[in-house]
Amino acid sequence: MTVPLSPAQISEIVEMALSDHISFTQISAQHQVTPDEIKVIMRTQLKPGSYRAWRKRVRDFGDRREHYK
């Protein structure tokens, strides 16, 4: 991350990433963060079990839908 994010921006990124309807591409375009940076934000903001469940859900959706997260 080149520009530090405010707590409000981090909260919005987490909310967007938890949504099943918003892709990493859309989050990246709006907040200028890479998918890897989004994963780091999610890892630091979520409990370990919640992060693992989120990553599994993202992977499962990605396997079923070509242009998902």
Side-chain angles (χ1 to χ4, degrees), residues 12-47:
E12 186 176 355
I13 290 170
V14 169
E15 185 178 332
M16 292 172 77
L18 287 172
S19 169
D20 291 337
H21 305 290
I22 300 174
S23 69
F24 282 156
T25 306
Q26 292 169 306
I27 298 169
S28 296
Q30 185 169 345
H31 292 284
Q32 288 74 47
V33 292
T34 66
D36 288 337
E37 290 170 335
I38 294 169
K39 292 173 193 169
V40 169
I41 291 169
M42 295 299 283
R43 185 183 300 268
T44 60
Q45 297 299 310
L46 298 177
K47 293 178 184 177

